[in-house]
Amino acid sequence: MDNQDRPTCSFLPWQFSLFLQGMCTVQPSSASVKSVEKLEKMFLSPPWKSMSFPKKMLPCWSPALYNGEKRRANKNVNQISTLVFDYDKPGWSPSRMADHLKGLSLAHAIHTTWSHTDEAPRYRVVLFLSRPVRTDEFLFVREAAVSLVGYTDGIDDLKDLARHYALPVRRTSSPFESHLEVSLPPLCVDSLMAENKEEQRQDSVDGEGPEYLLTPDTPLQISESGDEQTVQFL
């Protein structure tokens, strides 16, 4: 595709972390994709690897972003740049999922993974975001995205902030399929968070209110005289 024919992409540059020495690598390297051409190369024309290549040695990437040269761990993650869902033996093919996400007007990438076969399909869905999500936003945004996509047959339930994934790769003598749609808008994080705040406000109006955690130091009024004691004395 000529550069003049490529769509513009509002979420670029897209930042992520690399672990080029394989799945056991713990030291992330910062990386970014600044053009649609590079995205196409990454997802649509990945390198070939032989059937005998050790899976654990595959170069990996992660949407987890780190401050400084920190080791891969949930506690060290600063932000998440994209949402990733793995589907293991789902009823939908990658192409059907791609059509579904187009219908939802979501920018995305899909590619089959190392263990994919025609008999036991496995593929990865990458949803691009309007902005990176903070760690305290991640679980809500992920669950909201799962609900929006609406198809959960075979979806993974892993929510580790620091999870990493093998980079797209074509395995010799194995089927490979990939899709990339960047002309559509990315998933709007701020809209999801605004909806969450509105739901919390409505719950408060309806009298449900937020739940509070009682700690040993929480003061409670326990007599008609108004005397207070803390939870630990009850």
Side-chain angles (χ1 to χ4, degrees):
M1 182 184 296
D2 294 335
N3 288 332
Q4 62 184 8
D5 297 327
R6 288 189 170 89
T8 58
C9 191
S10 62
F11 59 83
L12 294 180
W14 169 46
Q15 295 183 308
F16 54 96
S17 296
L18 283 175
F19 302 86
L20 295 177
Q21 302 306 311
M23 296 184 176
C24 295
T25 309
V26 297
Q27 198 74 26
S29 300
S30 298
S32 66
V33 171
K34 300 179 181 179
S35 69
V36 174
E37 181 181 10
K38 296 296 184 182
L39 277 179
E40 291 173 347
K41 183 176 181 180
M42 178 176 179
F43 289 105
L44 302 182
S45 301
W48 291 92
K49 296 288 185 183
S50 69
M51 289 284 290
S52 60
F53 190 87
K55 182 178 179 180
K56 67 179 182 180
M57 295 302 296
L58 290 172
C60 296
W61 74 280
S62 173
L65 305 178
Y66 298 83
N67 279 334
E69 296 299 321
K70 294 186 176 179
R71 293 168 64 88
R72 182 173 65 86
N74 288 342
K75 65 181 181 179
N76 292 333
V77 176
N78 183 40
Q79 293 178 315
I80 302 292
S81 65
T82 49
L83 297 180
V84 182
F85 306 125
D86 277 0
Y87 284 86
D88 187 359
K89 302 179 184 178
W92 285 10
S93 66
S95 59
R96 182 173 180 183
M97 175 60 77
D99 288 341
H100 178 65
L101 295 178
K102 288 179 183 177
L104 295 174
S105 295
L106 292 174
H108 62 272
I110 300 173
H111 68 90
T112 51
T113 56
W114 184 257
S115 301
H116 168 78
T117 64
D118 290 332
E119 297 74 25
R122 293 176 173 86
Y123 57 84
R124 181 161 295 138
V125 173
V126 178
L127 291 185
F128 298 106
L129 302 175
S130 59
R131 66 165 176 83
V133 299
R134 302 191 308 269
T135 55
D136 63 310
E137 298 173 323
F138 172 68
L139 288 180
F140 169 77
V141 172
R142 187 186 192 278
E143 292 305 313
V146 169
S147 179
L148 177 62
V149 172
Y151 184 73
T152 58
D153 181 24
I155 195 172
D156 70 85
D157 193 37
L158 299 176
K159 304 179 179 68
D160 287 349
L161 292 168
R163 188 180 180 188
H164 61 351
Y165 308 87
L167 283 165
V169 61
R170 288 177 284 189
R171 194 178 187 185
T172 56
S173 303
S174 293
F176 176 80
E177 182 178 345
S178 62
H179 304 266
L180 179 66
E181 176 55 67
V182 296
S183 63
L184 296 172
L187 180 63
C188 184
V189 175
D190 289 330
S191 293
L192 291 179
M193 297 310 300
E195 291 173 7
N196 184 42
K197 289 181 180 178
E198 176 60 23
E199 290 176 2
Q200 291 179 341
R201 187 195 68 80
Q202 191 60 49
D203 287 344
S204 180
V205 170
D206 292 341
E208 295 182 11
E211 296 182 357
Y212 295 96
L213 176 66
L214 295 180
T215 68
D217 296 324
T218 302
L220 295 176
Q221 184 174 333
I222 61 173
S223 69
E224 294 181 359
S225 65
D227 294 335
E228 287 188 349
Q229 289 190 0
T230 58
V231 172
Q232 64 182 334
F233 292 111
L234 297 183

